[in-house]
Amino acid sequence: PSLEYELARRQSRRDADELWRFVRGELTAWRKDDSSKAPPVARRLEKLQDSVRQYHAVIRGDLANLTVADGWETWRRREADQLADLMRRRIDFLQNPPDCATAKKLVCNLNKVCGFGCQLHHVAYCLTVAYGTGRTLVLNSRNWRYNRAGWEQVFQPLSGTCQDAGGRSKAAWPAPVLGVGLIQRPPACVCLIQLPATVCLIQRPPACVCLIQLLSSQIIILPITGRHLPGTADTQVLTLPIIDVVSPRPPYLPLAVPADLADRLARLHGDPSVWFTAQFVRYLMRPQQHLQNDLDAFVKRVQLRNPCVGIHVRRTDKVGTEAAFHPIEEYMQHVHEFYERRQMEAGGGDGSRRCVYLASDDPSVFQDAVNKFPDYTFLGDPSVSKTAAVSSRYTDASLRGVITDIHALSLTDHLVCTFSSQVCRVAYELMQTMHVDAADWFTSLDDIYYYGGQSPHEQTARFAHQPADGSEIALSPGDTVGIAGNHWNGYSKGENRRLKKVGLYPAYKTRDKLRVVEFPRYPEVPL
Ligand code: GDP
């Protein structure tokens, strides 16, 4: 190891010790100090909080030095590039079959009734399932609410060879399979099936037939055989419904990571499932040249530079329905902390004004921020056309607005936002494709990262925990916990699967459990 590495390693240990000595010293002194001349508790607490924040910034700075000094940065960069390139080549291979007429396809309709981030995630889910089933994704984007002319006018087409959804056999995503025990053979015909599907029974003994109408309006007629239905693996063209109703649920849904890359990803990245999703999102968002030109011109015009913190303030229709109102001060507190940490890492500020890229669906947020925080330089374009999801005026201009904001946010060094918004989650995903590991480059004021419709997000307990009161749950090392959220105060909330109890637990006592799933390994694409 280098001298720098050894020094940084010892320094971080010393700083952690000093932090504890300081906190212990302060608290012990308080306990003993009952004199009436002692400063008021509120002032003492404020001082303590300030000091601990600085200790934290220093420790983070040491850890950043450790990463630089360990000598593995070149390896990390190369590994990140190779993995991203591998995924891109695999998706290219999947999306460009030599013969579209015979290729197995998955059709995805871009008709989900929601905002741009939500629709993009809908298509990313389709592409993930396409990758998992080895089917070429055909996107049907006619009459897209954001751009009537379709997806391909804005982004590059998903395929150069295969955009035709035709084929010799077609079906909806495999219908829920009839359970053996649920079916009685003739003459008593009974037909039971899981939703979402409407079921009619045609009783024509001696042969009973189930008529199943799926949500996709497709009608499938199934003879009651008392056996599982034949799968649709052989069907050439399958149509995938939205993630919220897909049944049976494919194993490939986020937060799954492919078994053949899991070890490499776990080594490289702080959140492998986000990294994996990000590869699909990046593929989908490859801009057409005119959009690329616009994005480049925008970044130049607003003079976006680094370091800069990206703030996304989601207001309008979201507030009070799906998310709470957060004042600008709350976002700015985290911006302040980011720059304090940055200063410790860099060993002093560079003297330039602190940069914030501000995006919001509510243009009044800009003036509010500029008035209240004159020491910061706020970048962004309040005039960029906004579309509250509530208004049905989806136009090309509003599409450009949100794409531009997402792009600019993804170019920053840290995001402060509400992860309940898909706009910020998309920016965060894109951010992962530009850096080796930007997993912790965010502060969410509400949710932890999630993917709508995902498989359960689980963690493993690292340490035992005894509940301090009725709001907490017990943990034993190795327990599986289904995490619901992080309260960002040291505690997460979730269900201990073994005890079947929901409650709070110290977040540091668990770590994320990777959901490793066998996806196709694409042997045709060289590693
Ligand atoms: P969510 O509702 O925040 O989870 O995200 P969606 O993308 O599904 O829907 C919100 C829609 O509101 C976006 O697609 C945009 O049309 C608009 N919007 C939200 N935030 C912004 C923003 O910061 N900038 C712009 N230009 N539009 C936004």
Side-chain angles (χ1 to χ4, degrees), residues 188-476:
C189 295
V190 177
C191 193
L192 289 173
I193 199 159
Q194 293 168 358
L195 288 174
T198 324
V199 183
C200 308
L201 174 67
I202 304 175
Q203 217 165 350
R204 252 186 322 190
C208 290
V209 179
C210 257
L211 190 66
I212 302 168
Q213 178 151 31
L214 296 165
L215 282 187
S216 58
S217 312
Q218 186 146 8
I219 293 175
I220 302 177
I221 299 174
L222 303 165
I224 297 185
T225 59
R227 287 184 289 111
H228 280 275
L229 296 173
T232 35
D234 291 335
T235 309
Q236 191 189 345
V237 184
L238 280 184
T239 303
L240 195 63
I242 58 173
I243 196 167
D244 317 64
V245 298
V246 66
S247 175
R249 283 165 62 82
Y252 315 112
L253 302 182
L255 309 162
V257 290
D260 66 333
L261 302 180
D263 284 351
R264 288 175 74 182
L265 289 178
R267 226 170 151 200
L268 183 74
H269 198 271
D271 197 335
S273 59
V274 177
W275 183 94
F276 188 55
T277 291
Q279 307 311 307
F280 296 110
V281 169
R282 182 180 68 162
Y283 197 90
L284 293 172
M285 286 190 79
R286 291 166 309 157
Q288 288 285 11
Q289 194 57 51
H290 62 92
L291 175 60
Q292 183 70 62
N293 294 345
D294 278 3
L295 294 175
D296 293 345
F298 178 81
V299 167
K300 220 167 158 180
R301 179 162 68 79
V302 299
Q303 298 180 352
L304 185 57
R305 56 178 189 267
N306 296 96
C308 196
V309 177
I311 293 186
H312 178 238
V313 181
R314 183 73 167 93
R315 295 260 171 91
T316 65
D317 59 305
K318 194 97 170 174
V319 174
T321 54
E322 294 176 21
F325 178 93
H326 297 274
I328 190 71
E329 288 83 351
E330 204 180 327
Y331 295 82
M332 289 304 290
Q333 174 61 34
H334 296 289
V335 174
H336 174 69
E337 289 185 15
F338 168 86
Y339 278 110
E340 203 167 66
R341 280 203 304 275
R342 191 85 186 193
Q343 207 168 356
M344 292 299 174
E345 284 171 24
D350 64 0
S352 61
R353 278 167 65 88
R354 292 175 168 186
C355 163
V356 174
Y357 183 86
L358 181 53
S360 177
D361 52 334
D362 174 0
S364 73
V365 171
F366 284 80
Q367 207 47 57
D368 190 32
V370 170
N371 292 346
K372 287 178 176 158
F373 298 92
D375 293 343
Y376 286 83
T377 298
F378 289 95
L379 310 179
D381 188 349
S383 70
V384 167
S385 178
K386 313 290 168 184
T387 303
V390 85
S391 100
S392 54
R393 290 183 305 107
Y394 289 86
T395 63
D396 186 44
S398 75
L399 178 62
R400 259 162 213 268
V402 69
I403 293 172
T404 306
D405 273 339
I406 286 174
H407 175 67
L409 287 170
S410 77
L411 294 176
T412 64
D413 300 80
H414 192 88
L415 290 168
V416 183
C417 64
T418 45
F419 264 172
S420 55
S421 170
Q422 314 225 31
V423 171
C424 191
R425 296 208 304 277
V426 173
Y428 173 66
E429 287 153 2
L430 287 177
M431 198 178 226
Q432 307 309 314
T433 69
M434 296 175 215
H435 307 278
V436 171
D437 178 8
D440 62 358
W441 291 23
F442 76 95
T443 304
S444 171
L445 304 185
D446 55 18
D447 297 335
I448 52 174
Y449 175 86
Y450 68 97
Y451 196 100
Q454 70 189 18
S455 302
H457 180 171
E458 292 185 328
Q459 300 189 308
T460 305
R462 301 167 60 202
F463 308 112
H465 181 65
Q466 288 303 323
D469 58 44
S471 69
E472 297 186 12
I473 52 170
L475 298 175
S476 293

Side-chain angles (χ1 to χ4, degrees), residues 469-491:
D469 58 44
S471 69
E472 297 186 12
I473 52 170
L475 298 175
S476 293
D479 277 354
T480 297
V481 180
I483 179 169
N486 188 323
H487 289 193
W488 310 117
N489 60 358
Y491 286 86

Side-chain angles (χ1 to χ4, degrees), residues 50-67:
D50 269 0
S51 303
V52 172
R53 200 178 63 238
Q54 276 186 38
Y55 274 98
H56 173 248
V58 167
I59 293 173
R60 286 288 302 245
D62 289 337
L63 293 174
N65 291 341
L66 209 53
T67 309

Side-chain angles (χ1 to χ4, degrees), residues 80-105:
D81 290 346
Q82 282 178 358
L83 279 165
D85 185 56
L86 178 63
M87 279 302 295
R88 189 190 51 72
R89 286 183 290 116
R90 284 180 175 184
I91 302 173
D92 267 344
F93 171 80
L94 177 73
Q95 286 302 108
N96 293 285
D99 182 8
C100 187
T102 56
K104 291 239 178 104
K105 301 171 196 176

